[in-house]
Amino acid sequence: MSRRIQILPEPVAQAIAAGEVVERPASVVKELMENALDAGACRISVELKAGGLQLIRVIDDGEGIDPEDVPVALHRYATSKIQNPEDLFAIQTLGFRGEALPSIAAVSQLTIKTRVPGSVSGTQLICEGGEVKRLTEAGCPAGTEVEVKNLFYNIPVKRKFVKSIPTELRHSLNHFLRLSLAHPSVSFQFAHEGRTLYAYPRTDAPGVRVEAILGKEIYRHLRPVEFEDGEIHLRGFVSLPSFSRGSGDGIYLYVNRRFIKDRVIYKAILEAYRHVLPGGRFPVVILFMSLPPSSIDVNVHPTKAEVKFKDSERIFRTVQGALTSALVSPDAPGERDDGLGERDHAASLNEVSPLASTEPFPFSFPGVGGDRETASVVREAVTTGWEREPPPPFRILGQVQATYILCEGAEGLILIDQHAAHERLLYERYKKDHETGSLPVESLLIPIPMELSAEEFLVLMSYREEVKSMGFEVDVIGERMAAIRTLPKLTEPFDPKGMLREFLEELSFVKREGKGREAIHPMLVSLACHSAIRANFVLRREEMEELVGALRPFHPSLTCPHGRPVFFVLSPEELARQFKRKG
Ligand code: ADP
Ligand code: MG
């Protein structure tokens, strides 16, 4: 009888273990960058091809590896960073498990070139699927270059789990950015398909790095925090109430310079902002905590993305306390200093519109409803033959089918299509903003890479300026590959890639070389369409008042930008006729 339990052959065991550490190209980028940082590098360069599936190359100018240590580094649990079990509780480096290099080597074709500064020659090691093929003396610059080709070439199953090139690239960029944020004194560079996407020169001021990564616009709304409580030390940057985001993506947490995800700290941050930001909005927070290594366990996760605190309650209190006092401190710069913050928009809206509630509306937008100047601009454009000024207000009777607003006015019974109406108002507003170059734009923390069809790519190349004028700043980062750097700032969440695709599709219909208005109009229409309140959306009374108030000056023949009517009017005469009353 054959034995049922068998020890797995070495290649299978290696592949299983590798799977824990190397999930996708981004894991390799992270591990190699961490090794470079642990080696004390001052400059780190990362190069990828095909999102890292074809090639990942990380070059550093760190301490290098001694020739006799090079093959050893590829053994599982081979590390220069700890020696004794108790060292596990005093970890100062990013790595310590000695798993990364062997795991990466097991699933790729790997080459290491390394030279210790001061020694005459270096070492080159070539490895395939975990097997050393060549180990030679080689001339190379001081430091280490690790090249990883054809990741998962020997594990086809794993390759199937890998997503598209843009998705994989985005994961790698995430790691690159997180590590760059935490190490301002190191200069970093990232290139894809030979194009440099980021280059951050070294700096002594952490704020300079934060600004370089997050952009001027976001940095303007940040203020530094610094806090000490015994051996817990916190420093970083937190956003003022004048700025918020629709997701928690802008929260970066580091413990002893290691990027981590941690529910306790996350909750503490949100708690500090609970009365500061409206529901569903999130701050930007970059928080570096330093703690004695003995008060945390970093060895709880194969990729070290989580840590365990000995006293998590204390961490919670410290973080919440530090942020709360940073946010309420009297020297907090005025939130209204520039008038651009989202809350400011809501506030100014409320000031001019006595009917508005104190909460920002889901569809509120600067100028819509409250901005008399816009109203008059729009009026000029679309009211012909509307003489009364100002017209008496409509009386709102209610919402019908969560889609129409029913009103009564001098004209009779009036039904308003809420989507068409809002879309029209937004269109006019965006058009005006576009003309004056003041369309609100939001810079992304991490650009969104996307793959385009050959046709889309060509359209983008001919209309890049026009697309940019609509808020989409797009970089070309490879053959048919683009990265979205900024987005139009809309009041409703939207799918950026979907909208850019829609723009490109619209633009492909524009007559060749048809620039200017011809190209802009369809994009304005889709921008308005995406941000307008939908049909089948229940509106609060105040929201209806707001919308109807903004529409009042317009002629009943007003249409939405697609040409559908906004109003349906049933005159008193028509009503009388229907009920067979004598007029
Ligand atoms: P760990 O980082 O957990 O120690 P790795 O498998 O990532 O394990 O690396 C194994 C060893 O190889 C490290 O401990 C270090 O001594 C050496 N090493 C790896 N990369 C570099 C590098 N870029 N520069 C210098 N030494 C390196
Ligand atoms: Mg390592």
Side-chain angles (χ1 to χ4, degrees):
M1 206 174 85
S2 69
R3 287 177 52 194
R4 290 216 290 164
I5 301 182
Q6 294 190 5
I7 295 181
L8 290 169
E10 184 55 20
V12 185
Q14 267 190 11
I16 291 174
E20 283 215 321
V21 182
V22 190
E23 191 195 340
R24 56 181 359 143
S27 335
V28 176
V29 169
K30 169 179 178 280
E31 294 294 338
L32 296 183
M33 285 183 74
E34 289 189 350
N35 280 349
L37 287 164
D38 283 344
C42 300
R43 301 166 68 86
I44 299 176
S45 130
V46 182
E47 271 174 77
L48 263 55
K49 277 192 181 153
L53 289 162
Q54 200 182 325
L55 171 87
I56 299 165
R57 186 186 289 130
V58 175
I59 307 174
D60 69 58
D61 62 353
E63 65 190 15
I65 312 176
D66 280 323
E68 59 276 22
D69 279 345
V70 175
V72 185
L74 286 183
H75 283 245
R76 185 155 305 279
Y77 311 126
T79 178
S80 55
K81 298 166 194 175
I82 58 171
Q83 278 162 8
N84 308 305
E86 57 272 22
D87 294 346
L88 268 177
F89 300 96
I91 286 165
Q92 304 281 2
T93 50
L94 293 165
F96 58 87
R97 293 168 60 116
E99 285 183 317
L101 284 183
S103 301
I104 297 165
V107 294
S108 68
Q109 295 158 341
L110 174 133
T111 305
I112 301 178
K113 280 188 234 161
T114 183
R115 180 165 72 82
V116 175
S119 77
V120 205
S121 72
T123 313
Q124 182 181 48
L125 175 140
I126 299 177
C127 189
E128 255 191 67
E131 229 177 272
V132 177
K133 294 281 178 201
R134 237 167 81 122
L135 178 66
T136 50
E137 195 179 313
C140 55
T144 305
E145 171 182 327
V146 182
E147 196 180 86
V148 176
K149 281 190 179 153
N150 302 321
L151 191 67
F152 303 137
Y153 80 103
N154 52 351
I155 317 182
V157 191
K158 195 93 183 171
R159 251 197 120 98
K160 280 198 200 127
F161 283 99
V162 170
K163 301 270 183 337
S164 66
I165 290 175
T167 306
E168 294 306 328
L169 178 60
R170 189 164 160 81
H171 284 284
S172 287
L173 282 173
N174 263 324
H175 286 298
F176 174 80
L177 207 131
R178 291 167 183 172
L179 286 162
S180 305
L181 256 180
H183 298 87
S185 59
V186 176
S187 66
F188 290 92
Q189 199 178 337
F190 190 107
H192 186 248
E193 300 288 353
R195 283 175 207 258
T196 301
L197 302 186
Y198 297 105
Y200 304 126
R202 70 167 305 279
T203 167
D204 292 325
V208 171
R209 178 60 57 87
V210 172
E211 182 175 4
I213 293 179
L214 302 191
K216 275 197 172 48
E217 171 61 23
I218 294 178
Y219 187 68
R220 260 180 349 111
H221 298 275
L222 299 183
R223 72 178 347 231
V225 258
E226 181 124 32
F227 189 83
E228 232 179 299
D229 173 16
E231 69 246 319
I232 305 180
H233 193 170
L234 288 185
R235 61 182 178 82
F237 296 85
V238 296
S239 59
L240 291 165
S242 52
F243 184 83
S244 65
R245 299 177 65 84
S247 79
D249 290 358
I251 299 178
Y252 294 81
L253 305 178
Y254 297 83
V255 170
N256 295 349
R257 294 243 184 149
R258 185 190 301 284
F259 178 88
I260 55 148
K261 300 217 181 266
D262 185 79
R263 291 176 62 86
V264 173
I265 306 184
Y266 196 76
K267 267 196 181 152
I269 292 174
L270 297 188
E271 190 56 33
Y273 277 91
R274 196 151 71 99
H275 300 295
V276 176
L277 292 180
R281 301 298 299 177
F282 297 81
V284 171
V285 171
I286 301 131
L287 201 61
F288 301 102
M289 298 185 67
S290 54
L291 298 169
S294 58
S295 64
I296 46 171
D297 186 356
V298 288
N299 193 23
V300 290
H301 192 270
T303 64
K304 296 161 282 185
E306 286 167 25
V307 298
K308 216 159 103 188
F309 297 103
K310 279 212 179 117
D311 186 353
S312 57
E313 215 166 285
R314 176 159 172 221
I315 301 289
F316 181 92
R317 282 196 315 269
T318 311
V319 172
Q320 194 211 331
L323 264 64
T324 306
S325 48
L327 288 169
V328 300
S329 74
D331 60 329
E335 287 165 45
R336 313 183 131 257
D337 53 356
D338 52 37
L340 287 171
E342 286 161 47
R343 301 187 103 220
D344 294 347
H345 289 324
S348 61
L349 200 63
N350 291 340
E351 273 160 24
V352 286
S353 168
L355 290 172
S357 80
T358 45
E359 262 182 52
F361 299 145
F363 57 83
S364 62
F365 192 81
V368 171
D371 185 336
R372 301 224 160 98
E373 192 204 340
T374 319
S376 68
V377 169
V378 184
R379 200 177 319 150
E380 263 166 40
V382 287
T383 59
T384 39
W386 187 259
E387 258 107 51
R388 266 182 302 183
E389 175 94 28
F394 290 146
R395 191 165 69 88
I396 296 174
L397 304 174
Q399 197 185 15
V400 182
Q401 293 168 10
T403 299
Y404 309 103
I405 303 170
L406 181 63
C407 314
E408 186 187 17
E411 303 83 350
L413 261 188
I414 299 133
L415 274 161
I416 297 172
D417 181 313
Q418 64 196 40
H419 175 70
H422 194 219
E423 198 177 44
R424 182 55 180 202
L425 292 169
L426 288 176
Y427 173 83
E428 297 300 338
R429 175 73 207 189
Y430 290 150
K431 191 167 92 178
K432 184 172 160 246
D433 282 351
H434 183 264
E435 280 158 10
T436 55
S438 55
L439 251 179
V441 171
E442 179 166 25
S443 338
L444 291 168
L445 297 180
I446 308 163
I448 305 172
M450 77 187 272
E451 195 164 10
L452 299 170
S453 70
E455 161 81 2
E456 287 168 335
F457 192 74
L458 284 177
V459 176
L460 176 66
M461 295 313 277
S462 359
Y463 288 102
R464 220 151 131 207
E465 274 313 303
E466 285 79 358
V467 169
K468 184 177 170 194
S469 75
M470 301 302 301
F472 274 99
E473 201 178 325
V474 183
D475 280 356
V476 172
I477 56 167
E479 192 50 39
R480 296 204 280 110
M481 289 276 295
I484 306 175
R485 280 187 188 276
T486 67
L487 294 178
K489 194 169 180 178
L490 305 183
T491 45
E492 292 288 302
F494 64 99
D495 161 27
K497 289 196 212 171
M499 190 183 293
L500 182 58
R501 285 229 147 82
E502 201 174 297
F503 278 10
L504 297 176
E505 196 188 330
E506 294 286 353
L507 288 170
S508 70
F509 292 124
V510 175
K511 261 190 262 109
R512 277 183 62 202
E513 301 312 315
K515 299 258 167 175
R517 209 190 110 73
E518 247 182 290
I520 297 302
H521 170 76
M523 291 194 282
L524 285 172
V525 173
S526 79
L527 209 59
C529 184
H530 277 270
S531 40
I533 38 162
R534 311 266 125 211
N536 292 312
F537 183 86
V538 177
L539 294 177
R540 284 180 298 165
R541 177 95 197 161
E542 302 85 346
E543 293 168 333
M544 290 192 266
E545 302 269 14
E546 182 78 17
L547 187 60
V548 171
L551 281 172
R552 187 61 186 119
F554 298 124
H555 190 266
S557 65
L558 185 72
T559 59
C560 80
H562 299 285
R564 286 199 303 109
V566 170
F567 299 106
F568 172 74
V569 182
L570 205 54
S571 66
E573 298 75 37
E574 177 64 21
L575 270 179
R577 202 145 34 95
Q578 289 296 332
F579 286 105
K580 317 259 181 252
R581 285 174 171 275
K582 292 215 183 84

